[in-house]
Amino acid sequence: PRTRQALDITSGNVSRVQDALGRAIMVENPSLYVDLSGHEMDEAAFLAELARRTGCGLLVDVNNIYVSARNHGFGPLDYLSGLPAGRIQQINLAGHSDMGDYVIDTHDAAVCDAVWDLYARAIAMVGPVATMIERDDDIPPLPTLLSELERARELAQAALKGQATGDDALLRADDGLVLLFKVNTAWRGLGLLVGGAGLRVVRGCVGGIHALQHESAEQDAGVGGRVGLVDVAVAEDVADSAQEAV
């Protein structure tokens, strides 16, 4: 449960990791299925205090917020507004499985409208930060994946500038937003990076993609340290399609 003791322990662990790495890390909100007893604070307050104590960033998965809100009956916008906007450095999107009485964060479907709406609210609150869409199963053709990236661009542009049509819907390099697509199906693969300079393909093993994506994002989108670092693996058929596309 989210107690003050748990917060002390978690803060200490995060601080030790950051000290060892010599840099701040990002902590992601989970998707929740079991409501434990004994909580002394809600999750947003827990994460906000963790970030305040340690200086860590927050990776906010808006699909996880939606899933947890559906499973436990709280308001997703209330959760989002309880997070410190200045600490949020990346936003994740994904699809889920709606089982009726509960929702599971399966990453095997398109992002639903409710999660897109939450994403737009998040961008309006936080500003231009890295965005990543996750897909782990039932992978559609590459054009379908890229259409979700384009929708993220349009929503972010609308949230940031109040425009979502025509050329103005495409983010510029100085907007500071980098769009990443992660598909987990194989240990060899490819990362899709969409920044101010368009689509860039980064191919290689998972372990080598961290630095490659970070460096490419800085060069292509001009956003420096605001780029989220992610592990990216994608099936070879998707990788081959993407390679052909560029």
Side-chain angles (χ1 to χ4, degrees), residues 4-62:
R4 290 174 179 79
Q5 181 183 30
L7 180 59
D8 290 341
I9 294 171
T10 305
S11 298
N13 289 339
V14 169
S15 294
R16 279 190 287 276
V17 170
Q18 292 183 147
D19 289 344
L21 295 175
R23 63 179 302 168
I25 64 172
M26 292 188 294
V27 176
E28 182 179 1
N29 59 297
S31 54
L32 304 178
Y33 305 95
V34 177
D35 192 10
L36 302 175
S37 61
H39 291 307
E40 296 176 359
M41 65 195 81
D42 62 32
E43 187 173 277
F46 187 96
L47 292 173
E49 180 61 15
L50 177 67
R52 187 193 69 79
R53 291 188 185 188
T54 66
C56 73
L58 296 178
L59 191 165
V60 174
D61 190 317
V62 291

Side-chain angles (χ1 to χ4, degrees), residues 16 18 34 59 67 81 128 140 145 180 207 232:
R16 279 190 287 276
Q18 292 183 147
V34 177
L59 191 165
V67 167
S81 64
L145 300 179
L180 304 168
V232 178

Side-chain angles (χ1 to χ4, degrees), residues 79-160:
Y79 182 109
L80 184 63
S81 64
L83 296 172
R87 292 292 185 183
I88 298 174
Q89 298 175 354
Q90 181 171 315
I91 299 173
N92 279 12
L93 291 152
H96 55 257
S97 296
D98 191 335
M99 312 306 291
D101 293 336
Y102 58 94
V103 186
I104 302 175
D105 180 34
T106 49
H107 296 186
D108 62 357
V111 179
C112 75
D113 288 342
V115 173
W116 281 122
D117 290 344
L118 194 58
Y119 169 68
R121 298 288 191 105
I123 287 291
M125 181 181 89
V126 176
V129 296
T131 293
M132 185 172 73
I133 306 174
E134 301 175 278
R135 189 76 175 231
D136 293 351
D137 202 359
D138 196 17
I139 300 169
L142 180 64
T144 302
L145 300 179
L146 294 180
S147 70
E148 287 204 303
L149 285 176
E150 185 60 25
R151 184 169 183 180
R153 278 185 159 193
E154 292 174 354
L155 288 173
Q157 183 69 40
L160 292 170

